[in-house]
């Protein structure tokens, strides 16, 4: 009898083997989550020296890094402004790579500052029709208000430096921009 019972249990083992759980399965380590937070935005402002409007579009990401409690973001920016003075008419299209530092103050309010370098396309559209690519740089600072996790509004000032183009009829130098803008985080 014992032998029959033993043989019955032994013959059932292959059927039970398929239904038993293995508790020592290998589980790969959790992958690090991407902590980069992408954003896109734009600004509108007024150049004080040129007395013209300037508009920009920004695309970048908030990084996982921080410096002394300031979060770090990197972004590319393209802008556009024009000048229509008595002697010359020209467009300026700056393209810069920027670093922005931001520190939370209270609630959704934050302070930001940063700078960038790049190039600008200057197109003289009056009688000479010259164009040139020039060096440009900027520093900026202001206040941002984070309305939600995915939306912020901000306002501030920039000091912008433009190299003079190769044609003699236009001298650019530096200018101050007072601006406001929005960013969408995704």
């Amino acid at each position: 009898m014992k032998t029959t019972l033993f043989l019955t249990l032994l013959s059932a083992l292959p059927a039970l083997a398929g239904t038993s759980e293995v508790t020592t399965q290998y589980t790969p380590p959790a992958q690090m989550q991407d902590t980069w937070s992408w954003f896109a935005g734009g600004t509108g402002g007024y150049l004080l020296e040129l007395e013209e409007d300037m508009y920009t579009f920004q695309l970048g990401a908030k990084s996982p890094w921080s410096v002394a409690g300031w979060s770090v973001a990197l972004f590319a920016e393209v802008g556009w402004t024009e000048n229509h003075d008595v002697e010359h008419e020209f467009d300026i299209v700056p393209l810069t790579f920027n670093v922005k530092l931001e520190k939370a103050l209270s609630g959704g309010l934050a302070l930001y500052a940063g700078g960038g370098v790049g190039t600008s396309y200057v197109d003289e559209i009056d009688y000479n029709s010259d164009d040139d690519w020039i060096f440009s740089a900027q520093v900026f600072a202001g206040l941002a208000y984070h309305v939600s996790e995915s939306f912020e509004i901000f306002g501030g000032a920039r000091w912008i430096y433009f190299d003079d183009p190769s044609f003699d009829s236009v001298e650019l130098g530096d200018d101050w921009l007072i601006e406001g803008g929005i960013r969408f985080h995704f």
Side-chain angles (χ1 to χ4, degrees), residues 38-40 146-152 182-186:
W38 292 93
F39 63 83
H146 297 265
V147 178
S148 69
E149 280 188 26
S150 59
F151 180 69
E152 73 177 277
I182 59 172
R183 282 193 193 101
F184 297 96
H185 297 264
F186 47 95

Side-chain angles (χ1 to χ4, degrees), residues 10-170:
L10 191 60
S11 65
L13 282 179
L16 294 174
T19 61
S20 67
E21 282 189 39
V22 178
T23 57
T24 58
Q25 289 181 346
Y26 172 73
T27 305
Q31 299 217 359
M32 288 185 61
Q33 292 183 349
D34 185 10
T35 56
W36 288 82
S37 147
W38 292 93
F39 63 83
T43 69
Y46 187 74
L47 289 162
L48 300 178
E49 188 73 28
L50 287 176
E51 298 180 349
E52 294 288 347
D53 294 335
M54 182 171 175
Y55 305 96
T56 69
F57 172 74
Q58 304 170 347
L59 182 62
K62 181 179 174 185
S63 77
W65 314 312
S66 67
V67 177
W70 293 72
S71 64
V72 178
L74 307 173
F75 65 95
E77 180 177 62
V78 62
W80 175 81
T81 188
E82 60 186 347
N83 186 31
H84 297 290
D85 63 16
V86 177
E87 298 176 16
H88 306 288
E89 189 173 330
F90 56 91
D91 291 337
I92 304 172
V93 180
L95 177 62
T96 57
F97 179 75
N98 304 276
V99 176
K100 177 180 73 97
L101 303 173
E102 187 171 304
K103 185 170 186 95
L105 296 176
S106 174
L109 190 63
L111 177 67
Y112 70 88
V117 295
T119 186
S120 293
Y121 177 72
V122 180
D123 184 18
E124 187 178 29
I125 52 180
D126 57 2
Y127 56 90
N128 289 336
S129 296
D130 287 329
D131 62 356
D132 194 11
W133 286 93
I134 60 172
F135 173 77
S136 57
Q138 63 184 357
V139 292
F140 50 85
L143 292 172
Y145 183 72
H146 297 265
V147 178
S148 69
E149 280 188 26
S150 59
F151 180 69
E152 73 177 277
I153 58 175
F154 60 94
R158 301 182 197 208
W159 174 79
I160 304 174
Y161 171 77
F162 297 109
D163 228 358
D164 289 333
S166 61
F167 39 96
D168 296 333
S169 56
V170 175

